[in-house]
Amino acid sequence: MPEPVPEAAPPADGAEKNAAGQENQSTSLSGLFVEKPAENVVAVAGSDVTFVAKVDASTLTRKPTMKWLKGKWLDLGSKAGKHLQFKETYDRNTKIYTYEMKIVKVVAGDAGGYRCEVTAKDKCDSSTFEISVEAAHQEGQADILSAFKRADAGEDEGDLDFSALLKATKKKKKPEKEEPEIDVWELLKNAHPSEYEKIAFQYGITDLRGMLKRLKKMKEVQKPSEAFLKRLESCYSVEKGKKIVMSCEVLDPNVQVKWLKNGQEIKPSAKYVMEANGNVRTLTINKSNLSDDAAYECVVGEDKCSTEVYVKEPPITITKLMDDYHVVVGERVEFEIEVSEEGAHVMWAFEDQEITKDKDSSKYRFKKDGKKHTLIIQEATLDDAGMYHAWTNGGHTKGELEVEEKELEVLQDIADLTVRATDQAVFKCEVSDDKVTGKWFKDGVEVLPSERIKMSHIGRFHRLVIDDVKPEDAGDYTFVPDGYALSLSAKLNFLEIKIDYVPRQDPPKIHLDTTGNMVSQNTIIVVAGNKLRLDVEITGEPAPTVVWSKGEEAVVATEGRVRVESRKDLSCFVIEGAERTDEGNYTICVTNPVGEDKAVLFIKIVDVPDPPENVKCTGVGEDCATIVWEPPKFDGGAPIKGYLMERKKKGSSRWTKLNFDVYESTTYEAKRMIEGVLYEMRVFAVNSIGLSQPSLNSKPFMPIAPTSEPTRLTVHDVTDSTCSLRWLAPEKIGAGGLDGYVIEYCKEGDTEWVAANTDLWEKQGFVVRGLPVGEKINFRVVAVNIAGRSPPATLSQPVTIREVVEHPKIRLPRELRTKYIRRVGDKINLTIPFQGKPHPIATWLKDGQPVDPKMVNVRNTNVDSILFIRSAEREHSGTYELVLKIENMEDRATISIRVIEKPGPPVNVRVTDVWGFNAALEWEPPKDDGNSEVTGYTIQKADMKTKEWFTVYEHNRRTNCTVSDLIMGNEYQFRVYSENLCGLSEEPRMSKNTAVIAKTGLELKQAAYKEKDMACAPKFTQPLVDRSVVAGYSTAISCSVRGFPKPKIVWMKNRMIIGEDPKFLMQNNQGVLTLNIRKPSTFDAGKYCCMAVNDLGQDEVECKLDVRVAIETENK
């Protein structure tokens, strides 16, 4: 039966006075707690806080159950770990249980309403308390490491977290305001009913309806009831799907009651079962659901009593946890979880603030799809970075959102140009975002559009076009994207044309411009994928012939990816989308009739590096893992600056960045991980060109920690060379499981421990052998799993290796202390435990002689002796004795074994006499009783005509019997079976002769009838009983009498005979005498007497009748 929900104590003294009048009419559910947690506790963030509750178990029949709850239904028992710790102790002297809840390093999320609830078989009690969290006071000279402590990690809190430096500029938490203490009772009194639910959730009220009901009763005075002896409990609590029973007691056992639910009468059905047992009226609700959460009433006439039923939903667990997100500003974020049941209520929160549809509808969207629940952020901003939580009544998950500024990637940079007069100059660049706008600058001055200068923005491409180039157009041109700290620069070189009017011949000359992409003399660096356009000025008269070559191979193509473009006095070498194979020495050779000139250029192609290789996990901890990898085989032509790491949960597609600044080492320790969850890692290499492709995912790994130490290590036995140890499994095993144990020992005073087992030992007991006699040895046991060794469990003091002499003692089982009986062919297997030190010697004797090993198998161990007979025969019967010896000490135990089988048939069965329809049989016991006492005989008869056998007697213990009801004129034969503990004999013994029932004349002799004298004087067998009745309500008084002849009955009041007064009705039913009094008044009170008279005598009884006036009820 569900237990009633205890009512919380009212907060004000006035409320206590108003409720005092109701204590007699409702069951008090308080009193189990002898000490409760403090109602209001103010904790400092980062400190530890402990709550203590004590329960008196002196009146309880079984151990109480304690639950610690937060809010309405969240059971904190499932959250036990590093952050929440629970402890239970019991004092046998005072019979008091002490329960403790410790919150380690309190954080802001721990603030709120809590409740501790204790339940026993037929009692329950609860206590509520509030926790407020204040920010820690920071001193001026605080330790700098405190800046890296995580305040929002909860159970996953690590030692240090340097990501606080990276997030410092992104989000600044607002200082928490200290709120004054609020009286929730006063708040509910003055609030509008529509705000009750909001107040209940905000202040952690778990029994809102109960509080509102008690607030209402504070102003009411309950009227005394004359119809109910015991009212319904004030309220009941039941889990969904369980049965609930409500009962009350009425004054009149014959009265009919009505049951109402929310004012509507309940009809009996399979769900609602109504019972009446004497004065008790019971309503049973089977398989309760949420619709049964209502107010119920039991109505008797105009009086009624009421109660409240609370149906608790089963806890909803979270089956798919929330993933972490790392996005840039403006991206869409979807936090998705899955719960165990459809239609469950999920509460979303950001940091410590709940996210609601009404207040945050413009920023957040909520989506439900069956068991999936999704929180959607349309466009993430820097203020959205932080920890997001999802709560159900049975689970909690969280995910971290990291938001960083959006980076603009340059897909094509601006190239330097060399242009002649009147030609067109075109600067072009490509960026990753087609929505980005920007401005063009020349030598730091913004370029404005004109008829000759035009600027365009088409998709990701930005162009600056200068028509009819003039010498003043030469200079440095820069494109600056709006909103980004980025600029792209290129140089416009003006090529001036000189005209010589005097023809002459000049040798060819190559004029290289070393101010562009050249990082050193004749070396050009090009980023892979970019375009290289090399304009080389050439002079000479007449015009020289230009030949480009790579190594020994000439480049003659004028179209394609690698080509040569020729103009007057200018040769252009173009590489579209540079590749690594384009790297090498290039030669330009110019010749004319006057001479030739050569120049060698080295083009170096730089690229992003290859991805790192062999990413793997080399070690794990409770919330951390060590990752190592190898540098990429190709660094892209530029030194590796460092690495970026990402991780994700296995099965998830969302990667989370672990560092924002490049990490130079190839070994990294990842923290803030959840124990028992599989993770994967990948690494990016970074050089001056950019970011490599990600490496292959590491093999999945799981952060796990070693177990706690084994518990209750004890010494079980000690001999001259061995020590037997026993222990229990560790209290905390964790996700890594338990692989086995290592048992170690060392001599007292030594520091070197020796392993007693080479392989891991899986059992919780071990015998250490080969120990020196008389030495004092220390022992310890270590649990081992995939994460390593646990802390050792040690003995409090060393063990002396010396066997203690103990007298031999046979512990004979109870069933062997009497005669041990088995049937022929049965298996006999007797195990006799014994004790003694050193190991005793066990010997078996049968009837004083050693047992024959051919007939009996004996196996002895150090702790017991086994006697085994595969198939018992009668010769195995006898007295067996077990002798246990240790030197000159011994102990003996005797066992009597009897092997039995079915008996033989009886002997000499004969008919000794026949008379009328009867026949007398006699026989002698069987010669072979089967080694067991004969317990009886079965006799059967058969008509010689039909030869069909019928059983006459079973289990007949005598060796004779009389068979009756035989049929006249028939001849009968008889047979007899013997019977013992094994059953009937295999064969019967036939009678030597038969019985013939002769046909003779029959004469019936009537026995003389003697009439019995039934006469007796009147005697009352049941007296009258004093009665007290209410005036106006009919009543009756009764008694019973016997006598023969039938006595005459006289009723008297105050010794006056009651005549034919119509107010009195006298009845006599088979000696039961009843006097009915119709609507008595106070005048009818007095002594009533009943007299019975016949010829043999008389008898009388009397009683006293009190008539009391009914008291008029108020407001009737």
Side-chain angles (χ1 to χ4, degrees), residues 743-762:
I743 299 89
E744 299 176 334
Y745 66 92
C746 74
K747 295 182 180 180
E748 185 181 19
D750 290 351
T751 58
E752 182 179 354
W753 290 88
V754 179
N757 55 318
T758 55
D759 298 328
L760 291 180
W761 188 257
E762 296 182 356

Side-chain angles (χ1 to χ4, degrees), residues 757-981:
N757 55 318
T758 55
D759 298 328
L760 291 180
W761 188 257
E762 296 182 356
K763 299 180 181 179
Q764 295 176 0
F766 188 80
V767 178
V768 182
R769 305 181 185 276
L771 299 174
V773 181
E775 290 287 349
K776 291 186 177 182
I777 305 295
N778 288 310
F779 294 93
R780 70 182 184 184
V781 178
V782 178
V784 180
N785 67 359
I786 192 173
R789 294 163 56 101
S790 72
T794 59
L795 294 173
S796 58
Q797 57 187 5
V799 180
T800 302
I801 308 302
R802 180 176 291 110
E803 190 168 31
V804 179
V805 177
E806 182 180 347
H807 284 269
K809 179 66 176 178
I810 301 174
R811 300 196 173 275
L812 192 64
R814 185 180 300 275
E815 65 270 13
L816 298 180
R817 296 177 185 176
T818 58
K819 187 170 292 185
Y820 187 74
I821 298 176
R822 281 293 179 271
R823 298 185 181 185
V824 172
D826 286 356
K827 180 174 64 177
I828 298 177
N829 190 355
L830 305 181
T831 302
I832 314 298
F834 54 76
Q835 64 186 32
K837 291 184 179 181
H839 299 314
I841 300 174
T843 306
W844 285 91
L845 304 176
K846 179 187 176 185
D847 299 329
Q849 300 297 324
V851 296
D852 186 358
K854 296 181 180 179
M855 299 179 60
V856 179
N857 295 318
V858 176
R859 185 180 65 84
N860 297 324
T861 67
N862 294 333
V863 294
D864 59 22
S865 180
I866 299 176
L867 177 71
F868 178 74
I869 302 175
R870 187 174 302 277
S871 179
E873 300 294 339
R874 290 178 59 173
E875 56 266 23
H876 290 133
S877 301
T879 301
Y880 290 80
E881 186 176 19
L882 174 62
V883 181
L884 199 66
K885 289 186 177 182
I886 299 178
E887 296 178 355
N888 58 348
M889 300 177 291
E890 72 172 26
D891 190 17
R892 294 174 178 264
T894 302
I895 303 172
S896 179
I897 299 178
R898 178 187 292 181
V899 181
I900 62 175
E901 61 181 347
K902 294 181 179 180
V907 179
N908 195 18
V909 180
R910 60 195 180 277
V911 180
T912 59
D913 192 11
V914 178
W915 71 98
F917 303 101
N918 307 308
L921 299 177
E922 291 184 2
W923 60 87
E924 296 175 4
K927 295 181 180 180
D928 181 11
D929 61 0
N931 203 24
S932 176
E933 181 184 358
V934 176
T935 58
Y937 301 90
T938 297
I939 300 95
Q940 294 181 344
K941 67 179 180 180
D943 187 354
M944 296 297 290
K945 297 178 183 178
T946 62
K947 297 294 185 179
E948 293 183 5
W949 291 96
F950 298 93
T951 300
V952 180
Y953 293 106
E954 290 182 328
H955 313 301
N956 185 66
R957 301 187 65 86
R958 298 180 181 180
T959 58
N960 56 75
C961 70
T962 300
V963 181
S964 303
D965 298 330
L966 300 177
I967 299 175
M968 182 183 297
N970 288 351
E971 183 180 0
Y972 291 90
Q973 188 176 16
F974 303 91
R975 66 183 183 185
V976 182
Y977 290 87
S978 303
E979 184 180 5
N980 65 2
L981 292 177

Side-chain angles (χ1 to χ4, degrees), residues 1052-1058 1083-1089 1103:
M1052 293 179 288
K1053 174 189 174 186
N1054 295 331
R1055 309 306 298 179
M1056 299 294 294
I1057 297 176
I1058 300 173
F1083 175 75
D1084 295 318
K1087 287 189 176 182
Y1088 287 80
C1089 177
C1103 69

Side-chain angles (χ1 to χ4, degrees), residues 54-71:
K54 295 184 178 180
V55 176
D56 185 5
S58 58
T59 60
L60 303 181
T61 58
R62 62 177 60 178
K63 178 183 176 182
T65 301
M66 170 66 78
K67 285 186 178 181
W68 297 89
L69 308 172
K70 181 177 181 181

